[in-house]
Amino acid sequence: MKVFCDFDGTISVKDVGAEFFNTFTKKKNIGIVKDWIAGKITARECLTLECSLVRATKEEVDKLLNNQKIETSFINFIDVLSKNNIELTIMSDGFDYYISNVLKKYRLENIKYYSNRLIFYDSNRVKPEFPYYDPDCPVCANCKGLQIKRLKSDSEISVYIGDGYTDRCAVSYVDVIFAKEDFFNYCSKNNILCYNFNNFNDILKVLKEKYPPYLRNENMK
Ligand SMILES: [Mg+2]
Ligand SMILES: [Zn+2]
Protein backbone atom coordinates (compact mmCIF):
# COMPACT_ATOMS: atom_id res chain seq x y z
CA MET A 1 0.00 0.00 0.00
CA LYS A 2 1.12 3.57 -0.76
CA VAL A 3 -0.50 6.67 0.70
CA PHE A 4 -0.54 10.07 -1.00
CA CYS A 5 -1.74 13.01 1.07
CA ASP A 6 -2.50 16.69 0.53
CA PHE A 7 -0.86 19.15 2.94
CA ASP A 8 -2.87 22.38 3.30
CA GLY A 9 -6.02 21.89 5.36
CA THR A 10 -5.49 18.12 5.37
CA ILE A 11 -2.27 17.63 7.36
CA SER A 12 -2.09 21.25 8.52
CA VAL A 13 -5.09 22.51 10.51
CA LYS A 14 -5.30 25.73 8.49
CA ASP A 15 -4.64 26.23 4.80
CA VAL A 16 -1.11 27.58 5.32
CA GLY A 17 -0.80 28.74 1.71
CA ALA A 18 -4.01 30.77 2.01
CA GLU A 19 -2.85 32.19 5.37
CA PHE A 20 0.46 33.18 3.77
CA PHE A 21 -1.10 34.92 0.76
CA ASN A 22 -3.99 36.50 2.68
CA THR A 23 -1.59 37.94 5.26
CA PHE A 24 1.21 39.17 3.03
CA THR A 25 -0.86 40.49 0.13
CA LYS A 26 -3.22 42.12 2.65
CA LYS A 27 -6.03 40.14 1.01
CA LYS A 28 -5.42 41.74 -2.39
CA ASN A 29 -5.27 38.15 -3.68
CA ILE A 30 -8.96 37.37 -3.11
CA GLY A 31 -10.08 38.23 -6.66
CA ILE A 32 -7.25 36.14 -8.13
CA VAL A 33 -8.29 33.08 -6.12
CA LYS A 34 -11.90 33.58 -7.20
CA ASP A 35 -10.81 33.65 -10.86
CA TRP A 36 -8.88 30.41 -10.34
CA ILE A 37 -11.83 28.64 -8.69
CA ALA A 38 -14.06 29.86 -11.54
CA GLY A 39 -11.60 28.36 -14.02
CA LYS A 40 -10.71 31.71 -15.60
CA ILE A 41 -6.99 31.33 -14.84
CA THR A 42 -4.75 28.31 -14.29
CA ALA A 43 -3.22 27.34 -10.94
CA ARG A 44 0.17 28.50 -12.23
CA GLU A 45 -1.21 31.89 -13.18
CA CYS A 46 -3.00 32.15 -9.86
CA LEU A 47 0.11 31.40 -7.79
CA THR A 48 2.34 33.63 -9.94
CA LEU A 49 -0.05 36.58 -9.57
CA GLU A 50 -0.46 36.01 -5.83
CA CYS A 51 3.33 35.85 -5.34
CA SER A 52 3.77 39.13 -7.22
CA LEU A 53 1.57 40.87 -4.62
CA VAL A 54 3.45 39.51 -1.58
CA ARG A 55 5.56 41.85 0.53
CA ALA A 56 7.21 39.93 3.37
CA THR A 57 10.67 39.25 4.74
CA LYS A 58 11.69 35.70 5.57
CA GLU A 59 11.52 36.62 9.27
CA GLU A 60 7.92 37.78 8.91
CA VAL A 61 7.00 34.57 7.08
CA ASP A 62 8.71 32.43 9.73
CA LYS A 63 6.74 34.21 12.44
CA LEU A 64 3.48 33.32 10.70
CA LEU A 65 4.62 29.71 10.22
CA ASN A 66 5.49 29.38 13.91
CA ASN A 67 1.77 29.56 14.68
CA GLN A 68 0.78 26.80 12.25
CA LYS A 69 -0.35 23.46 13.63
CA ILE A 70 -0.83 20.03 12.13
CA GLU A 71 -3.79 17.75 12.84
CA THR A 72 -3.14 15.88 16.11
CA SER A 73 -4.42 12.60 14.65
CA PHE A 74 -1.81 12.80 11.88
CA ILE A 75 1.00 12.02 14.34
CA ASN A 76 -0.53 8.67 15.30
CA PHE A 77 -1.47 8.00 11.66
CA ILE A 78 2.07 8.42 10.35
CA ASP A 79 3.35 6.33 13.26
CA VAL A 80 1.01 3.42 12.44
CA LEU A 81 1.88 3.63 8.74
CA SER A 82 5.59 3.51 9.42
CA LYS A 83 5.17 0.55 11.80
CA ASN A 84 3.50 -1.25 8.89
CA ASN A 85 6.10 -0.15 6.33
CA ILE A 86 3.57 1.93 4.42
CA GLU A 87 5.05 4.99 2.77
CA LEU A 88 3.22 8.32 2.88
CA THR A 89 4.08 11.00 0.32
CA ILE A 90 2.79 14.55 0.55
CA MET A 91 1.38 15.94 -2.72
CA SER A 92 0.92 19.68 -2.49
CA ASP A 93 0.05 22.47 -4.87
CA GLY A 94 1.45 24.79 -2.20
CA PHE A 95 5.09 25.64 -1.48
CA ASP A 96 8.20 23.86 -0.20
CA TYR A 97 9.19 26.71 2.13
CA TYR A 98 6.29 26.40 4.52
CA ILE A 99 5.79 22.63 4.20
CA SER A 100 9.37 21.88 5.26
CA ASN A 101 9.18 24.52 8.00
CA VAL A 102 5.98 23.11 9.55
CA LEU A 103 7.08 19.47 9.21
CA LYS A 104 10.39 20.28 10.89
CA LYS A 105 8.62 21.83 13.85
CA TYR A 106 6.95 18.45 14.45
CA ARG A 107 10.13 16.47 13.66
CA LEU A 108 8.43 15.02 10.60
CA GLU A 109 11.04 16.26 8.13
CA ASN A 110 11.63 12.70 6.91
CA ILE A 111 8.29 12.67 5.12
CA LYS A 112 8.80 13.02 1.37
CA TYR A 113 6.87 15.78 -0.35
CA TYR A 114 6.28 17.13 -3.84
CA SER A 115 5.30 20.79 -4.13
CA ASN A 116 5.98 24.04 -5.95
CA ARG A 117 9.02 26.10 -4.93
CA LEU A 118 9.00 29.51 -3.29
CA ILE A 119 11.99 31.74 -4.08
CA PHE A 120 12.73 34.77 -1.87
CA TYR A 121 14.45 37.78 -3.47
CA ASP A 122 15.04 41.51 -2.86
CA SER A 123 14.55 41.08 0.92
CA ASN A 124 10.71 41.07 0.81
CA ARG A 125 9.61 39.65 -2.55
CA VAL A 126 8.80 36.08 -3.62
CA LYS A 127 8.33 34.22 -6.88
CA PRO A 128 7.17 30.67 -7.63
CA GLU A 129 8.88 27.87 -9.51
CA PHE A 130 6.98 24.86 -10.83
CA PRO A 131 9.34 21.86 -11.02
CA TYR A 132 6.48 19.32 -11.33
CA TYR A 133 4.29 21.12 -13.79
CA ASP A 134 2.60 19.05 -16.50
CA PRO A 135 1.82 21.10 -19.63
CA ASP A 136 -0.95 18.62 -20.50
CA CYS A 137 -2.80 19.19 -17.22
CA PRO A 138 -5.14 22.19 -17.12
CA VAL A 139 -5.80 21.83 -13.37
CA CYS A 140 -2.52 21.75 -11.42
CA ALA A 141 0.66 23.75 -10.91
CA ASN A 142 2.27 20.74 -9.25
CA CYS A 143 0.45 18.00 -11.14
CA LYS A 144 -0.65 15.54 -8.45
CA GLY A 145 -1.98 13.11 -11.03
CA LEU A 146 1.28 12.96 -12.93
CA GLN A 147 3.36 12.48 -9.75
CA ILE A 148 1.10 9.71 -8.46
CA LYS A 149 1.15 7.97 -11.84
CA ARG A 150 4.93 8.06 -11.71
CA LEU A 151 5.28 6.92 -8.07
CA LYS A 152 2.58 4.29 -7.63
CA SER A 153 2.95 0.71 -8.73
CA ASP A 154 0.25 -1.56 -10.08
CA SER A 155 1.01 -4.22 -7.49
CA GLU A 156 0.17 -1.86 -4.63
CA ILE A 157 -3.04 -0.28 -3.44
CA SER A 158 -2.78 3.49 -3.70
CA VAL A 159 -4.64 5.74 -1.29
CA TYR A 160 -5.30 9.46 -1.65
CA ILE A 161 -6.32 11.89 1.12
CA GLY A 162 -7.38 15.48 0.47
CA ASP A 163 -9.71 18.38 1.19
CA GLY A 164 -9.72 20.84 -1.70
CA TYR A 165 -9.77 21.93 -5.31
CA THR A 166 -6.13 20.99 -5.93
CA ASP A 167 -6.90 17.33 -5.23
CA ARG A 168 -9.09 16.80 -8.30
CA CYS A 169 -6.31 15.61 -10.58
CA ALA A 170 -5.39 12.71 -8.28
CA VAL A 171 -8.71 10.87 -8.49
CA SER A 172 -8.16 8.92 -11.70
CA TYR A 173 -4.85 7.47 -10.54
CA VAL A 174 -5.65 5.98 -7.13
CA ASP A 175 -7.65 3.02 -5.80
CA VAL A 176 -9.02 4.48 -2.57
CA ILE A 177 -10.00 8.10 -1.92
CA PHE A 178 -10.57 9.87 1.40
CA ALA A 179 -12.15 13.27 0.95
CA LYS A 180 -13.50 16.11 3.04
CA GLU A 181 -14.92 19.58 2.41
CA ASP A 182 -14.51 20.95 -1.17
CA PHE A 183 -12.88 17.75 -2.37
CA PHE A 184 -15.71 15.66 -0.93
CA ASN A 185 -18.29 17.90 -2.64
CA TYR A 186 -16.40 17.55 -5.91
CA CYS A 187 -16.29 13.74 -5.63
CA SER A 188 -19.99 13.54 -4.72
CA LYS A 189 -21.02 15.78 -7.60
CA ASN A 190 -19.02 13.71 -10.08
CA ASN A 191 -20.01 10.30 -8.74
CA ILE A 192 -16.47 9.52 -7.65
CA LEU A 193 -16.45 6.86 -4.96
CA CYS A 194 -14.81 8.11 -1.76
CA TYR A 195 -14.84 7.91 2.01
CA ASN A 196 -15.71 11.07 3.87
CA PHE A 197 -13.47 11.76 6.88
CA ASN A 198 -12.97 14.27 9.67
CA ASN A 199 -9.57 13.24 10.95
CA PHE A 200 -6.87 10.63 10.40
CA ASN A 201 -8.34 8.26 13.01
CA ASP A 202 -11.38 7.86 10.73
CA ILE A 203 -9.05 6.93 7.88
CA LEU A 204 -7.16 4.38 9.98
CA LYS A 205 -10.43 2.79 10.99
CA VAL A 206 -11.51 2.29 7.36
CA LEU A 207 -8.10 1.04 6.23
CA LYS A 208 -8.00 -1.41 9.12
CA GLU A 209 -11.48 -2.68 8.29
CA LYS A 210 -11.12 -2.91 4.52
CA TYR A 211 -7.44 -3.76 4.16
CA PRO A 212 -6.49 -5.62 7.35
CA PRO A 213 -3.37 -7.36 5.97
CA TYR A 214 -1.66 -4.02 5.44
CA LEU A 215 -2.20 -2.78 8.99
CA ARG A 216 -1.25 -5.69 11.21
CA ASN A 217 0.98 -3.67 13.50
CA GLU A 218 -1.53 -1.47 15.13
CA ASN A 219 -1.26 1.32 17.61
CA MET A 220 -4.54 3.13 17.50
CA LYS A 221 -5.31 5.69 20.14
MG1 LIG B 1 -5.78 21.18 0.77
ZN1 LIG C 1 -2.77 17.67 -12.79
Side-chain angles (χ1 to χ4, degrees):
M1 179 179 283
K2 263 195 176 131
V3 178
F4 300 98
C5 188
D6 172 53
F7 183 78
D8 284 278
T10 302
I11 294 176
S12 63
V13 174
K14 289 183 180 172
D15 186 325
V16 183
E19 291 280 302
F20 167 74
F21 284 123
N22 291 343
T23 305
F24 297 117
T25 69
K26 300 202 167 90
K27 295 204 171 161
K28 285 181 202 147
N29 64 327
I30 300 295
I32 299 168
V33 176
K34 269 189 189 149
D35 283 350
W36 167 64
I37 290 171
K40 290 180 190 160
I41 56 171
T42 65
R44 278 211 316 172
E45 289 168 328
C46 175
L47 294 173
T48 305
L49 286 167
E50 286 189 282
C51 279
S52 73
L53 296 174
V54 167
R55 297 292 181 274
T57 63
K58 245 185 189 173
E59 288 70 31
E60 288 168 327
V61 176
D62 290 348
K63 216 172 145 189
L64 177 92
L65 296 182
N66 259 333
N67 298 322
Q68 300 305 318
K69 294 186 173 68
I70 66 169
E71 286 288 345
T72 327
S73 55
F74 182 71
I75 307 282
N76 181 53
F77 184 68
I78 194 81
D79 189 45
V80 173
L81 291 190
S82 94
K83 283 195 171 102
N84 289 280
N85 292 317
I86 298 171
E87 195 184 17
L88 179 140
T89 308
I90 295 172
M91 292 290 161
S92 172
D93 221 351
F95 290 100
D96 58 347
Y97 188 77
Y98 64 75
I99 295 172
S100 61
N101 186 307
V102 174
L103 289 178
K104 211 170 170 183
K105 195 166 91 176
Y106 288 88
R107 297 191 179 161
L108 296 172
E109 63 265 42
N110 290 333
I111 301 176
K112 223 189 255 166
Y113 68 86
Y114 291 83
S115 74
N116 306 304
R117 281 192 200 126
L118 192 68
I119 312 289
F120 285 84
Y121 71 104
D122 281 359
S123 82
N124 69 344
R125 305 291 302 270
V126 294
K127 63 181 174 189
E129 275 182 5
F130 305 106
Y132 305 112
Y133 172 60
D134 175 7
D136 293 330
C137 174
V139 175
C140 313
N142 166 26
C143 186
K144 299 190 181 194
L146 183 75
Q147 295 316 317
I148 292 170
K149 204 165 96 183
R150 217 167 51 79
L151 294 168
K152 72 166 191 169
S153 84
D154 289 337
S155 59
E156 292 169 312
I157 291 175
S158 49
V159 176
Y160 190 81
I161 307 163
D163 78 318
Y165 287 110
T166 66
D167 301 306
R168 287 170 289 175
C169 193
V171 298
S172 4
Y173 302 101
V174 293
D175 306 304
V176 188
I177 297 167
F178 291 93
K180 64 177 181 179
E181 294 167 29
D182 290 334
F183 186 41
F184 179 73
N185 296 336
Y186 170 80
C187 290
S188 308
K189 239 186 234 166
N190 293 281
N191 294 318
I192 296 159
L193 216 60
C194 69
Y195 295 99
N196 193 204
F197 74 99
N198 282 315
N199 61 46
F200 287 92
N201 294 333
D202 303 334
I203 298 172
L204 264 188
K205 215 182 249 175
V206 173
L207 291 179
K208 192 189 144 205
E209 240 171 63
K210 305 280 177 185
Y211 306 97
Y214 295 99
L215 287 152
R216 270 196 201 106
N217 302 315
E218 243 246 297
N219 183 28
M220 262 187 83
K221 277 174 192 159

